[in-house]
Amino acid sequence: PAMVKWAVHKTGEAGRNITREDILQKLTVDQVMIKNIQPIRNTDSVNDILERFVNNEHIGYPVVDTNEKLRGVLTLSNLKDILTDSDCWKWLVAEDMLEGSYEKIPAKSKLMEAIKVMEVKGLNLLPVVSGDTNAPVGMLETYHLENAIQQELITFQQNIN
């Protein structure tokens, strides 16, 4: 009703009821992705890959070929089968541990689209690519993503108060 809308506006309550879905529609992937993740080369050895996981907090990394094109994603779960067999570390490379298919999302996509992909596919990690080159430009991790959404909600609430 028109009078309710007028009353809400007059009391200063208009626009204060922002939801998680509003944030997801507003933000794009490149606004909340983890930037500056150094990709793993598809020719990197297991030792190099393990060192990367030990020295950083990420749960996965994009894997690229010599042309910097995304080949897939390596996660800790990809490595668990070979951790007990250190003999194979000398000859296995990143390419050998990649799974056949992977999902990716362009950096300029709406965050809502990325979350739908992650939920439908059951992913905790999603590589973000440049729309025109298929080169990785970042990663979406579930934990980091949820923190970014919460921070955006808090920032919005602080701005209207």
Side-chain angles (χ1 to χ4, degrees):
M3 290 307 287
V4 172
K5 288 181 183 177
W6 178 80
V8 166
H9 181 71
K10 280 306 217 182
T11 61
E13 294 297 317
R16 288 182 178 241
N17 188 22
I18 191 161
T19 65
R20 182 177 191 275
E21 286 72 31
D22 295 329
I23 297 293
L24 296 180
Q25 287 292 346
K26 178 183 136 195
L27 294 176
T28 56
V29 169
D30 60 344
Q31 291 176 295
V32 297
M33 70 183 182
I34 300 170
K35 299 171 177 79
N36 302 324
I37 278 193
Q38 186 67 33
I40 292 172
R41 303 249 176 253
N42 63 340
T43 56
D44 283 355
S45 70
V46 173
N47 283 330
D48 293 338
I49 295 166
L50 289 174
E51 185 175 325
R52 176 83 60 92
F53 277 99
V54 167
N55 293 324
N56 296 288
E57 75 244 11
H58 304 298
I59 62 171
Y61 291 89
V63 177
V64 296
D65 62 19
T66 55
N67 297 319
E68 300 297 319
K69 304 289 186 225
L70 184 67
R71 297 280 301 135
V73 176
L74 265 183
T75 64
L76 286 172
S77 63
N78 295 110
L79 300 175
K80 70 180 179 191
D81 293 334
I82 59 120
L83 287 177
T84 57
D85 185 10
S86 59
D87 291 336
C88 70
W89 294 7
K90 296 175 184 108
W91 50 269
L92 269 179
V93 295
E95 186 80 27
D96 298 325
M97 294 176 281
L98 292 177
E99 295 176 9
S101 63
Y102 62 91
E103 296 293 325
K104 62 186 177 197
I105 192 141
K108 293 298 180 187
S109 300
K110 290 287 184 189
L111 193 53
M112 178 71 86
E113 182 183 341
I115 288 186
K116 283 181 183 174
V117 169
M118 292 175 85
E119 286 174 353
V120 168
K121 300 291 184 175
L123 302 173
N124 290 321
L125 190 66
L126 186 62
V128 180
V129 295
S130 164
D132 53 345
T133 66
N134 198 39
V137 294
M139 293 290 277
L140 285 178
E141 290 181 1
T142 306
Y143 176 77
H144 181 266
L145 182 62
E146 291 303 323
N147 284 341
I149 293 167
Q150 286 299 84
Q151 187 59 46
E152 187 68 24
L153 281 168
I154 290 167
T155 300
F156 181 80
Q157 289 298 328
Q158 289 173 343
N159 288 340
I160 62 172
N161 288 333

